[in-house]
Amino acid sequence: MKAITLGPQGLQYTDHPDKRPEQGQVKVRLKTAGLNHRDLFIIAAAASATEGASGPIHPCVLGSDGAGVIAETGEGVTGLFQGMEVIINPCLGWDRADEVPVVPDILGYPADGTFAEYVIVPEQNVVPKPAYLSWEEAGVLPLAALTAYRALFTRGDLKQGEHVLIPGIGGGVATFAALMAAAAGAQVTVTSRSEAKRAQALQLPVTRVIDSNSRWREELQHQPVDLILDSVGPATFGQYFEVIKPNGKIVMFGASSGDDLTIPARAIFFPQLQLLGTSMGSHEEFTAMLQFMEQHQIHPILDSVYSLAETPLALQRMERAEQLGNIALRIG
């Protein structure tokens, strides 16, 4: 089968061994897949690794998100059938929201992922594709939407009427979070350094869009926020304490500007803020997320669509942070 692999020769569009599902597994013929920043992190780690230290020694198929049609089922699989249209949950072995693994196992490394014509996954990691979604929308949904859902509702405990701040609008998680928060009845403020992205973000169901480089407190006109979803880290972290309400929550799911933070202790304990971490999500939350999406008829924001062979170009677009929303791969 054709696939995008990462190995000793770097990133390649090549033939990769086609396998059959084992007991409890299903083989999915992929129609579409979606890019995530995780793909870039894996490529960068492999490029900087010494032989055997980290990164794949043998070619591994990248990609965590995907949707397609079940081509074959292994022994013992029940409730799933050949020809069934499905979305793939890329988080492996995480069933319940409160049973958090040390590091979630995710499709796309070390397990072969979705940048290929076929992928094999455990039977519990496929769910029926909602009929209202196109194949491209379904293919980009899983990891970003799951991360946004857990950040907003499981960790952030978002309530109707609350004010949510999402710095750095542009990536898939941030755009999903904006759509979900608005659907839940929250006020939504987003920020971006890019004038073009701020103009595009005005098409989202958000309350306001502000420049990341401005003074947020003035831009918000002294309307403090209940919940901040942080994927940026040091570049914007200092401003959070000027705009968040007492007893507010900062939920961190990324660190695009670096890992090292300076945290003002008194700004945390006097207003009794909650600083929370989150990453990916459980099968329980994946099911709830799909129900929420379908209930509110939320469509992913599609930035662009590439062929499988054009994956390196798609990755370059994401690396340059040019996208607003999700980048899809059309397969087959």
Side-chain angles (χ1 to χ4, degrees):
M1 67 175 181
K2 290 295 185 182
I4 297 292
T5 64
L6 181 66
Q9 306 305 316
L11 198 67
Q12 292 187 308
Y13 175 62
T14 186
D15 290 310
H16 192 71
D18 194 7
K19 301 176 183 178
R20 300 194 64 185
E22 299 178 356
Q23 183 167 349
Q25 295 180 328
V26 297
K27 182 177 182 178
V28 178
R29 177 170 59 84
L30 288 155
K31 303 278 279 186
T32 50
L35 271 62
N36 290 284
H37 279 90
R38 180 177 187 267
D39 306 314
L40 294 177
F41 299 153
I42 293 169
I43 293 168
S48 62
T50 56
E51 181 72 11
S54 64
I57 298 175
H58 304 291
C60 172
V61 179
L62 292 182
S64 301
D65 287 348
V69 177
I70 292 180
E72 189 178 355
T73 59
E75 286 188 30
V77 173
T78 58
L80 302 172
F81 53 87
Q82 188 174 353
M84 185 176 182
E85 297 183 348
V86 295
I87 291 180
I88 295 166
N89 174 7
C91 283
L92 306 173
W94 184 2
D95 294 326
R96 293 177 52 83
D98 58 353
E99 296 174 351
V100 181
V102 175
V103 178
D105 287 331
I106 305 169
L107 202 64
Y109 178 73
D112 280 345
T114 58
F115 294 174
E117 293 177 308
Y118 294 91
V119 68
I120 293 174
V121 295
E123 61 178 313
Q124 60 267 32
N125 283 81
V126 295
V127 297
K129 169 188 168 290
Y132 83 99
L133 293 175
S134 70
W135 279 114
E136 287 79 11
E137 290 171 334
V140 303
L141 184 147
L143 197 60
L146 176 60
T147 300
Y149 184 89
R150 179 174 171 85
L152 281 173
F153 301 112
T154 305
R155 302 295 277 159
D157 194 26
L158 179 66
K159 300 290 193 299
Q160 183 177 2
E162 290 187 334
H163 186 183
V164 181
L165 174 64
I166 306 172
I169 194 68
V173 179
T175 52
F176 272 120
L179 296 172
M180 291 179 185
Q187 298 181 59
V188 183
T189 296
V190 302
T191 85
S192 177
R193 293 174 298 173
S194 164
E195 184 177 353
K197 285 189 181 181
R198 293 198 300 274
Q200 289 177 287
L202 290 171
Q203 306 304 312
L204 301 175
V206 300
T207 308
R208 63 177 62 81
V209 179
I210 63 177
D211 186 343
S212 295
N213 295 319
S214 67
R215 291 303 302 268
W216 295 0
R217 188 171 182 177
E218 296 173 6
E219 293 283 349
L220 292 176
Q221 299 175 346
H222 305 291
Q223 297 181 28
V225 298
D226 300 276
L227 172 63
I228 298 172
L229 297 192
D230 176 39
S231 65
V232 180
T236 55
F237 198 78
Q239 291 227 54
Y240 299 166
F241 305 102
E242 298 180 10
V243 299
I244 195 166
K245 291 179 181 178
N247 202 37
K249 300 182 183 73
I250 301 170
V251 178
M252 304 182 69
F253 66 90
S256 62
S257 65
D259 287 339
D260 297 329
L261 292 173
T262 299
I263 300 178
R266 289 176 176 80
I268 295 286
F269 65 72
F270 276 130
Q272 303 189 42
L273 303 182
Q274 299 178 61
L275 183 58
L276 306 165
T278 192
S279 182
M280 283 45 105
S282 64
H283 181 73
E284 180 180 38
E285 289 160 313
F286 191 82
T287 302
M289 175 271 291
L290 285 180
Q291 291 173 347
F292 183 88
M293 295 280 291
E294 192 154 18
Q295 176 189 348
H296 296 282
Q297 294 289 288
I298 298 173
H299 290 267
I301 304 298
L302 277 175
D303 172 81
S304 49
V305 181
Y306 293 79
S307 70
L308 182 61
E310 294 173 321
T311 300
L313 295 176
L315 288 165
Q316 287 172 20
R317 178 170 178 80
M318 185 167 62
E319 189 170 24
R320 293 192 297 262
E322 294 174 347
Q323 85 280 8
L324 181 79
N326 297 87
I327 300 174
L329 301 178
R330 189 178 289 126
I331 302 171

